[in-house]
Amino acid sequence: MMQQVKEELKNIPTPLYYYDLPLLRETVDVVKSAADRYGYKVHYAIKANNNPRILSEISSLGLGADCVSGTEIEVAIAQGFQSSEIVFAGVGKTDREIEIALKNNILAFNVESVQEIEVIGEIAQSLDTVANIALRINPNVDAKTHHYITTGLDENKFGIMTHELETCLTLIQNNAHLKLIGLHFHVGSQITDLNVFKRLCVKVNEWNQYFYDKGYTLPILNLGGGLGINYMEPDEESIVNFSNFFYLFHQLLELKQGQEVHFELGRSIVANCGSLVSRVLYIKNGLKKNFAILDAGMTELLRPALYQAFHKIEYWSEETDLESDKVEVERYDVVGPICESSDCFGKEVNLPKLKRGDLIAIRSAGAYGEVMSSRYNLRQPLNYFYKE
Ligand SMILES: *Cc1c(COP(=O)(O)O)cnc(C)c1O
């Protein structure tokens, strides 16, 4: 495999994003059939990766889209997603973005505040249309993940505070341009402990009952996303166990008649199909450490610098077995070229003794990788390789 990769990448400048499209297709097939088993609908969270090749693959395989900006809605539609399968979340939707969503007749606004409902109502009225509203409820469930990607606690900015729900209901009832169609929840990202989703189900059932008792039959329960992946061993578990994930909801959710369950998965769909590939620029032997300095840095993949995220770092120049006696293994801090100490992909990583020009892959970079890349330091645009 490595020999083939080396050949493929021989003339392509680095840093580059390597996308394994067959793995992406297989992942989408698996998630779709696992969800279909229970009639669940999956919206791909565009913010995880909006590369046009990736989007068109995913839309052509029949998933809906979860958007967090007006431009994401436009891009999703341009890449083949059905507007009737687009949901729109975000605490700070602008008037322009609300108009884009309304003009495209999206499935639902996941609304996050009282004021937002008022504004959507006004804009829908001015466009003489009806906005479908799902109330994003903050369920106060701890995602037990990095605090930057925990979103479902009372102290987070996301979702409607439960003491304001009554006000929301009144506002919606009093405006013919607003239609309440469902409830929305999203508690965080990179959640690997399924107990978090169990606790979410308990809260969802409570809120579902609360609205039912008030006489509302809400057709949509949107449970959000957040399913985590195994960053340690991307090849052993290249596709997450979506069956277990959906089965948990199937077992625990208490649905009312006619209710549809929706999910918004991002990371678990795209993370493992992408790797950031880089070449070694320099090796620097410090007093206590060896540094491998790459031509990729936090400008190409921010997650390690932003949330101390782990990514598996592999030697891609040739097939090597680190366990074998024939391979000389060295320990490196693998760092980027940017003038920030946080620009480090991994500390004390065992790799074959490296030399200038060697290929290094930073695995599981398909989600929140390319999308968070920046031109900081006036870095060059990214390069790409798509495995067909
Ligand atoms: C980011 C986000 C998602 C996707 O989260 P993943 O962890 O990538 O699955 C889903 N819903 C909302 C509202 C989000 O903000």
Side-chain angles (χ1 to χ4, degrees):
M1 185 258 180
M2 286 309 149
Q3 207 46 47
Q4 185 196 334
V5 169
K6 195 182 171 189
E7 259 330 282
E8 288 168 345
L9 302 183
K10 197 169 63 185
N11 297 317
I12 307 182
T14 46
L16 71 86
Y17 267 94
Y18 180 100
Y19 287 118
D20 182 341
L21 298 179
L23 176 61
L24 174 65
R25 283 180 214 118
E26 194 188 338
T27 308
V28 177
D29 274 342
V30 170
V31 73
K32 187 142 197 311
S33 53
D36 281 349
R37 204 168 301 147
Y38 309 111
Y40 295 167
K41 301 271 194 284
V42 177
H43 303 264
Y44 165 62
I46 303 257
K47 75 171 190 280
N49 189 322
N50 61 31
N51 177 301
R53 288 295 304 272
I54 304 271
L55 292 186
S56 69
E57 292 286 348
I58 296 176
S59 67
S60 71
L61 295 168
L63 298 193
D66 166 43
C67 298
V68 290
S69 75
T71 309
E72 280 194 358
I73 295 173
E74 292 173 327
V75 166
I77 293 169
Q79 293 301 332
F81 289 94
Q82 301 295 313
S83 51
S84 60
E85 294 179 356
I86 292 179
V87 293
F88 181 23
V91 292
K93 302 178 186 76
T94 64
D95 295 18
R96 172 191 155 269
E97 292 176 315
I98 293 167
E99 275 178 32
I100 291 172
L102 286 170
K103 286 181 178 158
N104 285 295
N105 258 318
I106 64 161
L107 175 64
F109 286 86
N110 296 331
V111 304
E112 312 223 11
S113 68
V114 172
Q115 245 185 351
E116 183 190 332
I117 296 177
E118 291 171 335
V119 172
I120 293 174
E122 284 162 18
I123 298 175
Q125 188 163 14
S126 73
L127 295 175
D128 195 23
T129 183
V130 176
N132 291 331
I133 303 292
L135 298 173
R136 177 168 182 177
I137 297 179
N138 187 330
N140 198 22
V141 168
D142 189 347
K144 298 268 161 58
T145 180
H146 191 279
H147 59 283
Y148 283 6
I149 49 176
T150 294
T151 56
L153 286 175
D154 284 343
E155 68 216 51
N156 300 131
K157 69 180 173 186
F158 300 96
I160 293 168
M161 303 294 148
T162 49
H163 68 270
E164 292 188 317
L165 283 173
E166 287 293 335
T167 317
C168 295
L169 290 175
T170 311
L171 279 172
I172 295 170
Q173 264 162 359
N174 293 337
N175 188 338
H177 297 275
L178 296 173
K179 184 175 171 205
L180 181 61
I181 64 154
L183 303 179
H184 173 242
F185 304 83
H186 173 69
V187 292
S189 200
Q190 183 50 18
I191 298 167
T192 48
D193 175 2
L194 290 186
N195 288 314
V196 171
F197 294 113
K198 286 188 187 168
R199 289 195 285 276
L200 173 63
C201 286
V202 172
K203 295 294 174 97
V204 172
N205 289 338
E206 283 171 17
W207 284 111
N208 197 22
Q209 188 63 39
Y210 170 90
F211 282 89
Y212 186 78
D213 290 343
K214 285 182 163 298
Y216 291 92
T217 34
L218 300 175
I220 293 180
L221 290 182
N222 182 338
L223 283 283
L227 178 60
I229 65 141
N230 184 345
Y231 278 96
M232 300 289 169
E233 295 301 340
D235 293 320
E236 275 171 32
E237 208 182 336
S238 54
I239 300 179
V240 246
N241 196 327
F242 290 110
S243 297
N244 281 354
F245 175 71
F246 292 123
Y247 180 66
L248 180 151
F249 291 94
H250 173 68
Q251 274 192 312
L252 297 178
L253 282 180
E254 293 157 9
L255 300 181
K256 306 296 177 192
Q257 186 138 33
Q259 276 187 323
E260 252 182 23
V261 181
H262 291 233
F263 292 89
E264 305 165 333
L265 297 171
R267 185 191 312 272
S268 52
I269 294 175
V270 289
N272 270 335
C273 80
S275 295
L276 174 62
V277 181
S278 178
R279 287 189 173 90
V280 175
L281 284 175
Y282 303 105
I283 300 297
K284 186 154 134 176
N285 299 312
L287 286 178
K288 293 190 180 138
K289 279 173 178 294
N290 299 315
F291 294 96
I293 301 165
L294 305 185
D295 63 7
M298 62 192 285
T299 38
E300 285 69 43
L301 179 65
L302 184 60
R303 299 186 70 255
L306 185 61
Y307 5 79
Q308 293 92 45
F310 175 90
H311 284 265
K312 190 168 190 200
I313 297 172
E314 282 178 357
Y315 180 66
W316 270 20
S317 273
E318 50 202 290
E319 196 81 60
T320 41
D321 176 5
L322 289 182
E323 308 295 314
S324 146
D325 294 341
K326 293 191 202 81
V327 178
E328 192 181 347
V329 176
E330 288 264 18
R331 189 165 284 188
Y332 298 96
D333 279 14
V334 179
V335 302
I338 311 298
C339 307
E340 301 269 346
S341 294
S342 61
D343 186 26
C344 173
F345 290 120
K347 289 195 183 325
E348 317 223 321
V349 185
N350 283 339
L351 290 164
K353 193 173 168 60
L354 296 174
K355 59 182 188 309
R356 182 169 159 80
D358 279 346
L359 283 173
I360 296 290
I362 298 161
R363 303 293 310 277
S364 314
Y368 307 106
E370 184 189 343
V371 281
M372 286 193 186
S373 64
S374 77
R375 298 291 312 280
Y376 181 47
N377 287 200
L378 287 182
R379 300 274 291 163
Q380 289 283 101
L382 287 165
N383 302 288
Y384 296 94
F385 181 85
Y386 298 96
K387 181 177 164 194
E388 302 292 336

